[in-house]
Amino acid sequence: MENVDDATIYLRQMELGPMQNFVYLVGDPVARECVVVDPAWEIDTIVETVERDDMRLVGALVTHTHQDHVGGSLESWGMPGRIPGVEDLLERVPLKVHVHKAEREFLKGFGSDLVQVDNHDTLKVGRLTLTFMHTPGHTPGSQCFLVDGRLISGDTLFIGACGRTDLPGSDPSEMYYSLTQRLAALPDETVLFPGHNYGGDSSTIGREKRENPFMRYASLGDFLRTMGGGRIITP
Ligand SMILES: [Zn+2]
């Protein structure tokens, strides 16, 4: 568990659950308010960490609605059981859940607690402003969160890799544009915080543009040929 807070930002990265998911707490250390990104696993740990840090949880942000990021039944994955997720968090802490409008339909039963967001929307957390970036490809409503020179990237961009594009709802062409147009346009010094611990805890956009093969394809055709009709084949 790493604490990266300073005077301007409170940012805690927690690797929770059996699938190397990173859950983030992001907020304002002066106002002592924070949001949680992708609360799927170990809800007790999330709530207790917020309390121990003397912060107040004021919202939840969803990078995309796969169960390992929001919780839910594992039946569709052919596995027994369920991941506690947003549903259990809302029983502990009343708050709004921010999901991209393209995936609103996949979060059922939360009523007015759900807030649909779109590209370029912003959210104030204390003195901080978070910006939502729509980065479809892994899923139709995948989004990243930009805050104070940091990017929380969900399953769009990993260190040295990108999210799968062979799943229902995936679109390798959209992934290509999300990686090479939207995320590649961010300043090189932007610090990257991915949705899984697949290659370390953080990187930068500049380093990924130099070293991540999935950000380096010259054309959509080359990218799609490597993705093999939707399956990732590491080049
Ligand atoms: Zn996913």
Side-chain angles (χ1 to χ4, degrees):
M1 198 181 286
E2 193 188 348
N3 194 9
V4 205
D5 75 359
D6 59 34
T8 59
I9 189 168
Y10 163 84
L11 176 59
R12 204 180 256 287
Q13 179 186 57
M14 299 178 282
E15 186 175 339
L16 301 180
M19 295 172 69
Q20 297 167 283
N21 284 86
F22 280 137
V23 174
Y24 294 92
L25 299 172
V26 191
D28 178 348
V30 174
R32 308 223 67 81
E33 292 182 348
C34 67
V35 293
V36 58
V37 176
D38 290 352
W41 308 95
E42 301 181 43
I43 300 302
D44 286 348
T45 300
I46 295 171
V47 172
E48 284 161 16
T49 302
V50 171
E51 285 171 0
R52 200 181 55 235
D53 286 349
D54 192 26
M55 299 291 285
R56 195 165 64 87
L57 199 54
V58 297
L61 309 187
V62 169
T63 61
H64 66 296
T65 56
H66 282 157
Q67 288 93 330
D68 59 319
H69 295 260
V70 295
S73 166
L74 293 172
E75 205 180 301
S76 63
W77 290 6
M79 290 191 271
R82 73 181 267 282
I83 302 171
V86 172
E87 192 178 341
D88 285 37
L89 178 63
L90 284 176
E91 283 171 11
R92 303 273 306 267
V93 187
L95 42 72
K96 299 286 187 197
V97 180
H98 301 260
V99 63
H100 188 271
K101 62 179 187 178
E103 292 185 30
R104 161 75 185 87
E105 63 187 292
F106 300 122
L107 284 183
K108 293 191 167 59
F110 299 118
S112 62
D113 292 329
L114 272 196
V115 179
Q116 297 182 61
V117 296
D118 203 351
N119 198 30
H120 303 310
D121 282 356
T122 59
L123 177 70
K124 285 285 239 185
V125 182
R127 301 163 304 158
L128 289 178
T129 301
L130 286 91
T131 303
F132 295 84
M133 286 183 79
H134 186 208
T135 55
H138 178 64
T139 64
S142 278
Q143 56 183 350
C144 301
F145 312 119
L146 195 56
V147 55
D148 195 41
R150 296 156 173 92
L151 183 81
I152 297 175
S153 63
D155 285 4
T156 299
L157 179 59
F158 296 130
I159 299 172
C162 69
R164 288 173 62 175
T165 57
D166 61 330
L167 302 168
S170 295
D171 185 329
S173 299
E174 292 273 29
M175 177 63 92
Y176 175 76
Y177 290 116
S178 290
L179 294 174
T180 62
Q181 310 283 316
R182 292 165 204 168
L183 296 186
L186 294 171
D188 280 358
E189 61 272 22
T190 306
V191 183
L192 172 70
F193 291 103
H196 288 269
N197 185 1
Y198 291 159
D201 49 29
S202 68
S203 180
T204 64
I205 290 293
R207 187 179 132 201
E208 294 310 305
K209 281 166 70 175
R210 285 192 306 274
E211 299 177 7
N212 186 333
F214 296 94
M215 292 194 85
R216 295 183 57 80
Y217 286 97
S219 73
L220 173 61
D222 290 349
F223 187 79
L224 294 179
R225 269 189 291 282
T226 298
M227 298 314 244
R231 296 199 74 82
I232 288 183
I233 299 156
T234 305

